[in-house]
Amino acid sequence: MKKFAILILASALAFSCGPKYVVEGIVSDHDGDKVLLQNVITGQADTCIVKEGKFTFSGPASNQTLCQVRLIAGRRVPNTCYIIPEEGKILVNLDSTDFFEGSGPLNGALQEVIAWENATNTKYGALLENITTDEQLQALSDQYNAELVEYFNEAFKNNNNNPVGSYIFREMYYNIEDSAQLNAFLEGAGELILTDPLVVDKIEFFNATELTSEGKMFVDFSGQDAAGNFISLSDYVGQGKYVLVDFWASWCGPCRREIPNLIKVHEKYGSQIVVLGVPVWDQRPETDKAIEQLGIKYDQIFVGDDRTPTEKYGIEGIPQIILFAPDGTIFKRDLRGNTIESTIASVLKK
C-alpha cells in the first residue's frame, strides 16, 4: 500500500513538473466577478475571481487546442479573447480589442490574424461613415466580405492543422455557404481541424441540406400534437396534398412577422393544402402563448428542445418555410413574405 502511494505521488509530481501556461489578465470595474477560461474544442472550462482588476489562470501547456477567455458579468459582454495555452506567460486585457500578448509561435500567429481583423474592421468602420444609400451599404459589405474571405483562405493554408486554423474557421463559419466552398477551404486540413466539433457540425449541416434540397424526398421526424399525442411529419407530408411547413419559435421576431402570411394562406387555401407549424428551440408555455397571441389555427408538431428536425433539414436560422409536394418531395425551401401565397397559388393552378 505504501509503495503504491509513493508511485501515485511520483506520477503526480512528474505531471506537475511538465510545461505550463500562465494567463495573467486585467479587466476594469469587475472585482468579485468571474472570468471563464474555456477550451472551445472540448468545452471544458475553469473560472477564477477578479481581484483588484486582475485574474490568473495556469495549467499544463498545450499547442493542440484553442481557448476562450471572457468575463461572466450580467448582461455586459466585454471583449472575448482567444488564446492558445502554449508554454509561458500570456497577458490578457479584456478592456481592449488588442486582447493579449503571448509567448510561443502559435500565439504569435494568432495575434497576427487578430491584428489584421482589427485593422480591417477599423478601415471599413471609417468608410461606413460616408455611406448614405442601401446600395452603397451593400457594395461596401460585399467588398468587406470578399477581403475577409481572401485573407482567411490564405491564412488557413498556413495553419490548417493547428489551433490558429480552428480560430480562422470560426471566423469564416458563416461565410462558407455550401459544401463545395467548405471542401475547398478544408483541402489539405489535418486531423486536428477535421475532428474539431464545429467543423464536423458544418460538414453534417451541408450533408443534411443536400439530403433535404428541392426535389429530394422528405425526411421524417416526430413530436407531439397539442394534446400531447405522438405524431410525425409523415402524418401530414406525402398524403396527397401540398404541405406548407413553418419551422419557427415564439421568441423569433422574423418568425412572428411571417405568421400572418401563413394564416392568410391557411384561411384562403386550407381546403386544398395543409399548413403546419413546427416550433423549434422553444418550450410549450411560450409557444402556446404565442399561438394564442398570433391567432394561429393550423396544426403544430411540438418538438421542444429536440434539435432533430432542424439538424435533419440543415436549418441554422429560422423561420425556415418549406413547401412539400403531394408525393412527399421537397418542392420549395426558404419561402418568405408574398412569395408564400404566390407559390401556393401557382402550384394549385397546375
Side-chain angles (χ1 to χ4, degrees):
M1 178 67 72
K2 186 174 182 180
K3 183 178 180 181
F4 182 64
I6 291 172
L7 287 173
I8 292 177
L9 178 61
S11 176
L13 287 172
F15 179 77
S16 65
C17 291
K20 287 183 175 293
Y21 74 89
V22 177
V23 172
E24 294 183 356
I26 60 173
V27 59
S28 302
D29 305 322
H30 280 281
D31 282 7
D33 287 330
K34 289 183 178 180
V35 174
L36 177 77
L37 174 67
Q38 185 171 34
N39 184 321
V40 300
I41 309 299
T42 67
Q44 293 178 321
D46 190 13
T47 60
C48 68
I49 303 296
V50 179
K51 295 180 181 179
E52 298 180 354
K54 299 179 181 180
F55 59 90
T56 302
F57 292 98
S58 64
S62 171
N63 61 2
Q64 297 293 301
T65 193
L66 180 69
C67 290
Q68 180 188 78
V69 183
R70 62 183 174 87
L71 183 70
I72 305 173
R75 292 187 176 183
R76 182 193 170 194
V77 182
N79 294 318
T80 295
C81 175
Y82 288 90
I83 65 165
I84 298 164
E86 291 181 284
E87 182 179 5
K89 184 180 293 186
I90 303 167
L91 306 177
V92 170
N93 182 358
L94 290 183
D95 293 327
S96 169
T97 54
D98 290 332
F99 296 137
F100 77 100
E101 295 179 6
S103 59
L106 290 177
N107 275 316
L110 182 58
Q111 285 173 277
E112 184 178 318
V113 171
I114 292 172
W116 182 90
E117 283 185 280
N118 288 338
T120 303
N121 289 337
T122 299
K123 178 178 73 174
Y124 280 94
L127 293 173
L128 191 61
E129 295 178 1
N130 299 318
I131 296 299
T132 57
T133 68
D134 290 342
E135 291 76 13
Q136 290 175 331
L137 180 62
Q138 186 61 56
L140 186 66
S141 176
D142 291 344
Q143 182 182 340
Y144 171 78
N145 285 324
E147 189 169 342
L148 209 69
V149 169
E150 181 181 5
Y151 175 82
F152 281 141
N153 271 310
E154 192 60 35
F156 185 79
K157 291 177 184 178
N158 299 320
N159 297 280
N160 62 6
N161 196 33
N162 66 44
V164 181
S166 294
Y167 173 83
I168 292 171
F169 182 81
R170 281 160 173 75
E171 297 299 281
M172 271 287 287
Y173 189 87
Y174 290 106
N175 291 94
I176 299 174
E177 298 179 347
D178 55 46
S179 57
Q181 190 179 354
L182 178 64
N183 291 335
F185 184 79
L186 293 176
E187 184 178 359
E191 184 178 0
L192 186 143
I193 297 294
L194 296 177
T195 56
D196 184 325
L198 201 65
V199 175
V200 173
D201 285 348
K202 195 70 169 178
I203 293 170
E204 291 178 349
F205 166 76
F206 283 132
N207 288 341
T209 302
E210 175 62 27
L211 288 172
T212 58
S213 58
E214 293 171 9
K216 298 292 179 67
M217 184 59 67
F218 82 99
V219 178
D220 207 8
F221 61 83
S222 301
Q224 295 181 338
D225 65 14
N229 300 311
F230 180 87
I231 54 170
S232 298
L233 183 65
S234 55
D235 292 325
Y236 299 88
V237 174
Q239 301 296 320
K241 285 188 175 183
Y242 280 97
V243 182
L244 187 65
V245 179
D246 176 29
F247 295 85
W248 70 290
S250 64
W251 47 264
C252 168
C255 298
R256 296 176 76 105
R257 288 192 290 273
E258 292 295 345
I259 296 297
N261 297 317
L262 295 161
I263 291 175
K264 182 179 179 182
V265 166
H266 175 62
E267 292 175 345
K268 189 172 182 178
Y269 301 103
S271 62
Q272 298 169 275
I273 70 165
V274 175
V275 179
L276 178 67
V278 182
V280 296
W281 313 333
D282 212 349
Q283 296 297 323
R284 278 299 297 272
E286 289 76 17
T287 303
D288 289 341
K289 183 178 179 181
I291 289 172
E292 184 177 355
Q293 289 174 338
L294 297 167
I296 299 173
K297 304 298 183 183
Y298 48 83
D299 288 354
Q300 306 286 320
I301 298 179
F302 297 93
V303 297
D305 289 330
D306 184 3
R307 291 180 174 261
T308 301
T310 49
E311 288 174 355
K312 284 187 172 183
Y313 281 84
I315 297 172
E316 284 187 320
I318 51 176
Q320 172 60 256
I321 301 171
I322 302 176
L323 180 63
F324 295 86
D327 64 355
T329 56
I330 296 168
F331 183 81
K332 194 75 175 176
R333 289 184 61 132
D334 302 309
L335 288 168
R336 299 289 285 269
N338 294 331
T339 61
I340 299 172
E341 183 178 359
S342 64
T343 301
I344 297 297
S346 67
V347 298
L348 292 179
K349 287 179 182 177
K350 295 179 180 179

